[in-house]
Amino acid sequence: MSDSICIVGGGLVGLSAAIALASQGRRVTLLEARPVAEIENATQPDELDARSIALSHSTLRIFQALGLWNDLQTQTAPIKHIHVSSAGHFGVTRLDAKSLQLDSMGAVIEYHVLIQQLLQAALQQESIEIISPALVESVALSDQGVNVSYERDGQEQQLQADLLVIAEGASSNLRESLGIDITTSDYHQSAVVANVRVNTPQMGVAYERFTPDGPMAMLPLIDSRYALVWTQPVAKVESLLALSDKDFLQQLQLHFGYRLGAFSEVGRRAKFDLKLSRASKLVAGRSVLIGNAANALHPVAGQGFNLALRDVGVLHDCLRDIDLTSEVLPSRLQRYQQLRKADQQQTVRLGDGLVSLFSNNLPLLNHLRSAALGILDLCPPLKTEFSWQGMGFGKGLSSLMRGQR
Ligand SMILES: Cc1cc2nc3c(=O)[nH]c(=O)nc-3n(C[C@H](O)[C@H](O)[C@H](O)COP(=O)(O)OP(=O)(O)OC[C@H]3O[C@@H](n4cnc5c(N)ncnc54)[C@H](O)[C@@H]3O)c2cc1C
């Protein structure tokens, strides 16, 4: 096989990369361990059950450039305002799309809706072949190409490609087998995720509230629902999950307050244990790590998928106009690694810094964070800069972010 790409992992990031790289006329084979039917039928038992993803403005631009946005838009709720506060303190920051001359700062979509749409878009592309269920067991890299061994229906199979894209998620095995180390730090926190209903109309406001136990986000969803991401120390999470719906809503009301009125309904609760993990490098020979396999972040700033999509945008640019069989490929991948360093570092620092600054109850830090939120709110240039960074426009624009393929 010549001039071909193999992507391992069909999560949000692997599927997005397949669509972006196929848009350059590349032949892409995507191997996913789960049966595709499981993803296609991933509707939840009821409409309140789903993890949700806040898509930053830069992600919306990339989806527009890839022709995905029209189908997605009807299933998303726009974020018109962001309200950041610290529980029990005065400092508040309000970020506003209008002041940036934008209709929205981003949008929120349920995870299962997003992955299904991406899968449908990938299945419709003739140049993308999805093989599933297929568990990749090992890869062998050479100067000429990549040999991928995978298991399908109990049979060992092989395929050759010119470029290997590893989108296996945070616990990637191939990363380790390629000798790429990761550094991991445990936040000792879990996120309790659930969708909730309130008794007031949804006005496109996303709330980020910092509490000594951890940050809490309330993101607007379609159908007047909100997606709750409630971070708690690991020791407190099981008791929160064990509460009846009524008691859970009571606790939520107590911690979040009444700025959205009364919470009236909650869907199934799920928990995610939170760790920061970062790969020591993104590239080995003819292979490249993307998504959670490269950087898995705390969800506090809603940046994991958005950062990965910016990676996909830059990878798309770095591969433009080259023959993947040529010797140029490894140097283009090195260039990709270099270009992504600043954005990845800045995004990781932002999320990690927010968790460290706000997840405690030290009196001095209480004053400091109230002051920080207050100053940010009163200083429009600082607020504008912060907003553009949060929307994914901090470091460099790929052509997909500029609306060009
Ligand atoms: C509670 C929570 C809230 C979040 N909110 C946001 C948000 O608002 N905004 C945002 O941008 N990000 C958010 N994120 C982060 C976002 O969900 C992740 O960054 C993103 O889903 C990572 O996708 P991925 O494709 O890299 O990895 P994964 O979703 O882990 O997918 C990896 C895929 O690879 C497959 N696979 C693994 N190994 C193999 C193998 N050997 N062979 C074949 N297939 C394999 C797996 O089956 C899986 O399908 C949130 C995360 C959490 C936990």
Side-chain angles (χ1 to χ4, degrees):
M1 191 183 275
S2 66
D3 205 27
S4 64
I5 298 173
C6 173
I7 298 180
V8 181
L12 295 183
V13 179
L15 285 167
S16 303
I19 295 164
L21 298 175
S23 77
Q24 286 182 324
R26 308 285 186 193
R27 274 183 306 134
V28 177
T29 306
L30 184 146
L31 300 163
E32 166 54 46
R34 286 181 296 168
V36 163
E38 214 174 82
I39 303 175
E40 279 181 310
N41 303 326
T43 44
Q44 305 293 328
D46 70 64
E47 56 162 347
L48 289 171
D49 264 355
R51 172 184 2 166
S52 295
I53 300 288
L55 307 172
S56 66
H57 200 82
S58 60
T59 294
L60 308 193
R61 291 256 187 102
I62 293 175
F63 281 158
Q64 275 160 3
L66 292 173
L68 300 170
W69 183 237
N70 280 352
D71 287 339
L72 288 171
Q73 189 171 14
T74 52
Q75 322 221 41
T76 64
I79 300 175
K80 294 177 184 274
H81 314 270
I82 300 178
H83 183 284
V84 188
S85 61
S86 181
H89 301 280
F90 288 116
V92 164
T93 292
R94 299 169 200 85
L95 309 172
D96 179 37
K98 244 192 203 148
S99 67
L100 302 164
Q101 274 105 48
L102 295 172
D103 290 337
S104 73
M105 300 176 79
V108 188
I109 188 165
E110 284 156 283
Y111 179 95
H112 71 274
V113 176
L114 178 57
I115 197 161
Q116 282 169 346
Q117 292 277 355
L118 293 175
L119 179 62
Q120 282 314 318
L123 288 169
Q124 280 162 21
Q125 288 268 351
E126 267 180 26
S127 50
I128 301 177
E129 183 188 7
I130 298 182
I131 305 180
S132 114
L135 178 70
V136 175
E137 292 174 327
S138 63
V139 292
L141 303 181
S142 71
D143 289 346
Q144 287 72 44
V146 185
N147 188 59
V148 179
S149 305
Y150 62 96
E151 195 241 274
R152 179 152 203 231
D153 298 330
Q155 303 277 318
E156 183 78 17
Q157 313 248 12
Q158 311 265 329
L159 76 79
Q160 275 76 46
D162 301 299
L163 167 64
L164 175 69
V165 178
I166 300 173
E168 277 185 305
S171 46
S172 165
N173 289 327
L174 295 182
R175 178 181 58 203
E176 203 179 315
S177 74
L178 293 176
I180 301 179
D181 298 329
I182 52 159
T183 48
T184 304
S185 60
D186 196 330
Y187 286 111
H188 304 290
Q189 291 181 337
S190 302
V192 174
V193 173
N195 292 346
V196 294
R197 240 184 248 290
V198 290
N199 61 5
T200 51
Q202 196 260 87
M203 307 294 282
V205 186
Y207 294 88
E208 184 78 62
R209 186 158 175 76
F210 292 98
T211 78
D213 278 346
M216 187 178 205
M218 196 67 83
L219 307 170
L221 282 179
I222 55 168
D223 303 332
S224 293
R225 294 168 300 148
Y226 278 84
L228 165 71
V229 185
W230 191 355
T231 313
Q232 288 279 300
V234 171
K236 290 191 179 176
V237 164
E238 290 308 328
S239 54
L240 208 52
L241 292 172
L243 291 176
S244 67
D245 285 0
K246 187 168 163 248
D247 291 345
F248 181 83
L249 289 175
Q250 212 171 36
Q251 283 300 313
L252 180 61
Q253 201 83 64
L254 202 69
H255 284 81
F256 187 77
Y258 281 85
R259 53 180 59 77
L260 276 175
F263 293 109
S264 58
E265 214 182 325
V266 58
R268 190 175 61 84
R269 284 158 257 163
K271 96 169 169 153
F272 295 84
D273 296 330
L274 304 178
K275 283 185 185 137
L276 169 69
S277 68
R278 299 205 66 197
S280 56
K281 55 182 186 170
L282 304 176
V283 171
R286 289 178 168 266
S287 69
V288 58
L289 298 182
I290 56 169
N292 273 19
N295 296 288
L297 316 183
H298 193 291
V300 59
Q303 287 294 339
F305 175 62
N306 293 311
L307 176 67
L309 210 58
R310 299 200 292 277
D311 293 344
V312 168
V314 174
L315 183 62
H316 172 271
D317 283 354
C318 288
L319 299 181
R320 186 185 294 280
D321 302 331
I322 61 161
D323 175 355
L324 298 183
T325 60
S326 76
E327 286 164 11
V328 179
L329 177 65
S331 65
R332 287 292 183 98
L333 294 180
Q334 289 299 333
R335 171 110 185 101
Y336 162 77
Q337 174 165 263
Q338 195 190 349
L339 287 173
R340 291 311 294 145
K341 206 169 169 181
D343 187 16
Q344 293 189 354
Q345 265 176 5
Q346 185 171 291
T347 306
V348 169
R349 273 198 210 125
L350 172 76
D352 200 42
L354 285 173
V355 179
S356 317
L357 179 64
F358 285 95
S359 298
N360 63 66
N361 214 359
L362 299 172
L364 185 65
L365 284 184
N366 279 336
H367 293 305
L368 201 71
R369 52 198 170 215
S370 295
L373 290 175
I375 290 167
L376 190 59
D377 201 50
L378 291 172
C379 182
L382 207 61
K383 207 152 84 162
T384 303
E385 174 63 23
F386 185 74
S387 303
W388 282 109
Q389 276 190 24
M391 288 189 299
F393 296 102
K395 300 270 177 208
L397 294 189
S398 61
S399 52
L400 289 176
M401 277 166 72
R402 287 194 296 267
Q404 302 150 5
R405 278 196 194 168

